[in-house]
């Protein structure tokens, strides 16, 4: 499974916030997968001006897609929800 | 010896009292005016962690308000928080997750968004326009029936014949409301007498025994209507869950679902209340501002550490429920014997809801004896309604 952050040379640099969220992704051997501190991330991202932090939300959406493609639906859904916090404001 | 019976919790989160309507009977005084905070999403996570950590094997969730579709953060985020939290607890199954909405802002885009978040929509519709609009107006006094019905049909166009909660404030409403649901092709509803709390506190006619006997008579008439409809539409039957529940208990006494189930309410400040008859009755408030976690929950439910460790949670919960809710000789179940409808623990006097239920049970029992095939047509069959647990 290849994620954006493992190939940074080929992609744009990962935003600090996105990296921190990724650090909170928990995937256990027994199949349990979730994003730790998820409500805290919700509250933090809601405070970010979407237009100034576009890359954060786009990168979250890209990551959500990659987790979905890798079959990790719980994490994909959580990251997609975080991405939508900003993306829905951007398209208004 | 401690029981290892399974424990199911239905958690109702009151996200806010913010609402785009001002229903005349609203028991939490919801409305559009003033500053109305929204429940901190972190508290939702903490309560879910606490219940799952205590060993609840089944957890159902309802997001209630106010109007949950107008809160910010959006209810879809609360849904993702719930799933993300319970993902850590493989022993806890999320049985249902829904919102109780008035439907006013529900468009196709929102329906898709809610479906994506795994949240089902239940609507509040009080019957035909004349009844609904008089009870569920917007702040300007305009009714909301048109929007509510549109929302129902939108949901149906997406393949979801939504569940409905209907509040009854007068016996004369019962039959017209059922007729409306049948004519409009609704699938199921739960019709509840108004709860005299908040703005509903003025409905004190419920304390008159004759009023509740009339209510029972009208519900029995409605049962006949439903049976006739279901006989002619066997593939698309209509279920009213109060009637169906009583009839089910008459046909097969003691056939309640396995395991111990209890509904709890978490208010807009994150405080835990025991259901039914919860909000507003001090003795039902189980926490007083503590930050929720498993230990706070254990303490709030009066469970000792050893019983939790030995899987004997249900025994402790039964003790607490018996202490908080003592059903009368007629109701036998605290789900119906609810003190906020009026006094009900005097030996020589039944409470209003107990009168309604006992009178209705007698009528349905007589009908079952006389016309068993018709009477059985109002039962649930395989269907259940998690929202039938809720009052309004």
């Amino acid at each position: 499974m290849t994620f954006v952050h493992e190939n940074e040379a080929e992609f744009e640099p990962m935003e600090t916030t996105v990296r921190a969220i990724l650090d909170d992704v928990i995937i256990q051997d027994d199949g349990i997968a979730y994003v730790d501190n998820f409500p805290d991330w919700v509250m933090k991202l809601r405070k970010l001006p979407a237009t100034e932090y576009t890359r954060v939300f786009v990168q979250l959406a890209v990551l959500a897609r990659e987790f979905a493609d890798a079959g990790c639906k719980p994490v994909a859904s959580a990251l997609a929800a975080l991405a939508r916090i900003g993306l829905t404001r951007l398209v208004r | 010896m401690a029981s290892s019976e399974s424990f199911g919790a239905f958690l109702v989160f009151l996200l806010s009292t913010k609402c785009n309507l001002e229903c005349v009977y609203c028991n939490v005084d919801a409305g559009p005016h003033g500053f109305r905070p929204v429940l901190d999403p972190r508290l939702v996570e903490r309560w879910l962690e606490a219940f799952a950590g205590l060993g609840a094997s089944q957890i159902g969730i309802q997001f209630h308000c106010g109007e949950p579709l107008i809160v910010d953060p959006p209810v879809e985020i609360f849904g993702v928080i719930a799933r993300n939290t319970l993902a850590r607890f493989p022993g806890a199954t999320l049985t249902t997750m829904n919102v109780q909405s008035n439907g006013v802002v529900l468009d196709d885009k929102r329906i898709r968004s809610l479906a994506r978040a795994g949240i089902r929509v239940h609507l509040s519709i009080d019957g035909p326009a004349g009844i609904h609009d008089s009870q569920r107006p917007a702040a300007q006094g305009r009714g909301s029936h048109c929007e509510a019905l549109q929302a129902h049909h939108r949901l149906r166009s997406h393949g979801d014949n939504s569940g409905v909660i209907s509040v009854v404030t007068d016996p004369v409403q019962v039959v017209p409301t059922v007729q409306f649901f049948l004519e409009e092709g609704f699938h199921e509803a739960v019709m509840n007498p108004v709860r005299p709390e908040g703005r509903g506190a003025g409905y004190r006619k419920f304390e008159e025994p004759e009023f509740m006997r009339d209510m029972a008579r009208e519900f029995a008439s409605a049962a006949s209507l439903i049976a006739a409809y279901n006989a002619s539409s066997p593939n698309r039957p209509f279920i009213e869950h109060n009637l169906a529940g009583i009839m089910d208990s008459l046909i097969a006494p003691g056939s309640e679902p396995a395991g111990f189930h209890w509904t709890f309410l978490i208010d807009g400040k994150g405080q835990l209340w025991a259901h039914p008859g919860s909000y507003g009755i001090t003795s039902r408030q189980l926490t007083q501002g503590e930050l929720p976690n498993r230990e706070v929950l254990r303490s709030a439910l009066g469970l000792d550490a050893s019983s939790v460790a030995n899987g004997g949670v249900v025994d402790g919960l039964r003790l607490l429920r018996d202490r908080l809710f003592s059903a009368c000789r007629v109701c036998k179940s605290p789900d119906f014997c609810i003190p906020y409808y009026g006094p009900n623990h005097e030996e020589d006097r039944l409470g209003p809801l107990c009168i309604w239920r006992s009178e209705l049970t007698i009528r349905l029992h007589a009908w079952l004896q006389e016309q068993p095939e018709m009477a059985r047509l109002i039962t649930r069959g395989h269907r259940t309604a998690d929202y039938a647990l809720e009052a309004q």
Side-chain angles (χ1 to χ4, degrees):
Chain A
M1 191 163 68
T2 303
F3 292 115
V4 173
H5 67 290
E6 292 176 356
N7 294 290
E8 280 180 17
E10 299 171 31
F11 297 95
E12 67 178 30
M14 186 174 288
E15 292 288 323
T16 312
T17 304
V18 177
R19 180 174 292 282
I21 293 171
L22 210 49
D23 287 343
D24 268 350
V25 170
I26 309 289
I27 299 176
Q28 297 176 188
D29 291 343
D30 57 4
I32 291 174
Y34 61 97
V35 178
D36 209 9
N37 305 310
F38 185 74
D40 290 328
W41 287 118
V42 168
M43 302 306 275
K44 281 176 189 162
L45 292 177
R46 280 166 47 80
K47 287 177 186 161
L48 295 184
T51 48
E52 288 176 37
Y53 290 86
T54 308
R55 284 166 59 165
V56 168
F57 296 108
V58 171
Q59 286 183 4
L60 284 169
V62 171
L63 277 171
R65 178 59 190 264
E66 294 205 21
F67 275 97
D69 289 346
C72 191
K73 194 181 168 192
V75 173
S77 300
L79 294 178
L82 293 178
R84 276 196 293 273
I85 289 172
L87 296 179
T88 50
R89 279 185 269 159
L90 286 167
V91 297
R92 268 181 204 149
Chain B
M1 188 175 154
S3 157
S4 58
E5 193 177 357
S6 67
F7 159 41
F10 189 75
L11 305 179
V12 180
F13 289 97
L14 272 183
L15 297 182
S16 172
T17 59
K18 188 176 180 182
C19 194
N20 43 7
L21 299 184
E22 270 189 320
C23 300
V24 295
Y25 50 64
C26 183
N27 64 314
V28 295
D29 281 323
H33 304 299
F35 174 66
R36 296 171 184 270
V38 176
L39 177 64
D40 187 332
R42 288 167 288 209
L43 294 175
V44 173
E45 180 185 60
R46 294 185 74 105
W47 276 121
L48 287 169
E49 280 174 347
F51 274 95
L54 199 64
S57 59
Q58 296 181 319
I59 294 182
I61 294 171
Q62 183 178 67
F63 298 115
H64 210 109
C65 272
E67 169 52 34
L69 298 189
I70 63 170
V71 299
D72 189 24
V75 72
E76 288 89 337
I77 285 281
F78 285 97
V80 177
I81 288 170
R83 288 188 187 281
N84 185 68
T85 307
L86 294 179
R88 282 171 247 173
F89 300 91
T93 303
L94 180 61
T95 54
T96 181
M97 186 158 58
N98 64 63
V99 288
Q100 187 63 43
S101 169
N102 60 36
V104 171
V105 299
L106 189 68
D107 57 16
D108 290 317
K109 189 178 167 191
R110 196 69 197 268
I111 290 172
R112 286 191 293 272
S113 169
L114 290 161
R116 200 166 47 228
I119 298 173
R120 195 168 177 232
V121 182
H122 294 156
L123 294 173
S124 298
I125 302 179
D126 286 356
I131 295 171
H132 181 102
D133 285 343
S134 68
Q135 300 187 160
R136 304 184 59 81
Q140 313 91 311
R142 194 178 63 83
S144 59
H145 189 260
C146 183
E147 291 92 335
L149 196 54
Q150 277 178 353
H152 170 73
H153 286 294
R154 273 203 191 95
L155 284 164
R156 275 168 71 169
S157 74
H158 286 260
D160 185 5
N161 194 331
S162 59
V164 171
I165 287 182
S166 181
V167 174
V168 182
T169 59
D170 194 293
V172 299
Q173 296 174 346
V174 176
V175 168
T177 297
V178 167
Q179 280 172 330
F180 166 79
F181 288 142
L182 298 178
E183 285 163 9
E184 290 290 336
F186 280 72
H187 198 182
E188 56 187 330
V190 57
M191 295 168 57
N192 290 321
V194 66
R195 184 189 299 184
E197 288 182 299
R199 288 199 292 274
Y203 288 92
R204 284 298 168 196
K205 273 188 175 177
F206 283 88
E207 290 177 3
E208 298 167 19
E210 202 51 44
F211 188 81
M212 296 313 282
R213 287 194 190 98
D214 288 348
M215 188 76 83
R217 191 186 62 237
E218 293 302 310
F219 266 82
S221 300
S224 300
L225 273 178
I226 293 168
Y229 175 87
N230 291 350
S232 62
S233 309
N235 297 322
R236 297 175 58 230
F238 175 80
I239 306 294
E240 195 290 308
H241 284 280
N242 281 312
L243 289 167
I246 294 174
M247 188 57 80
D248 281 338
S249 69
L250 289 170
I251 292 169
S255 61
E256 292 81 15
F260 179 82
H261 299 264
W262 197 351
T263 299
F264 296 90
L265 185 144
I266 292 100
D267 69 17
K269 293 174 182 168
Q271 299 308 306
L272 184 72
W273 298 73
H275 228 50
S278 59
Y279 203 61
I281 299 177
T282 309
S283 63
R284 312 292 195 266
Q285 184 170 357
L286 300 177
T287 58
Q288 308 287 338
E290 306 94 314
L291 204 56
N293 60 36
R294 186 181 152 183
E295 288 311 302
V296 166
L297 178 60
R298 186 180 65 75
S299 169
L301 299 178
L303 301 170
D304 62 62
S306 64
S307 70
V308 173
N310 295 324
V313 171
V314 170
D315 294 337
L317 292 176
R318 281 194 199 286
L319 280 174
L320 177 65
R321 188 142 99 163
D322 288 347
R323 183 165 61 77
L324 290 176
F325 306 98
S326 50
C328 75
R329 64 184 186 280
V330 170
C331 296
K332 296 176 186 164
S333 159
D335 291 339
F336 290 95
C337 198
I338 306 169
Y340 53 58
Y341 285 100
N344 70 339
H345 294 303
E346 297 167 34
E347 290 219 348
D348 57 343
R349 186 183 170 190
L350 291 175
L353 209 65
C354 310
I355 292 171
W356 167 68
R357 182 172 161 78
S358 59
E359 184 79 19
L360 183 55
T361 303
I362 290 165
R363 286 174 179 271
L364 292 180
H365 184 259
W367 186 37
L368 181 63
Q369 300 301 311
E370 290 163 16
Q371 296 180 290
E373 286 184 16
M374 284 299 281
R376 285 170 186 270
L377 290 174
I378 69 165
T379 58
R380 289 192 184 110
H382 65 281
R383 271 194 271 165
T384 57
D386 45 73
Y387 66 92
L389 294 164
E390 270 312 286
Q392 64 193 64

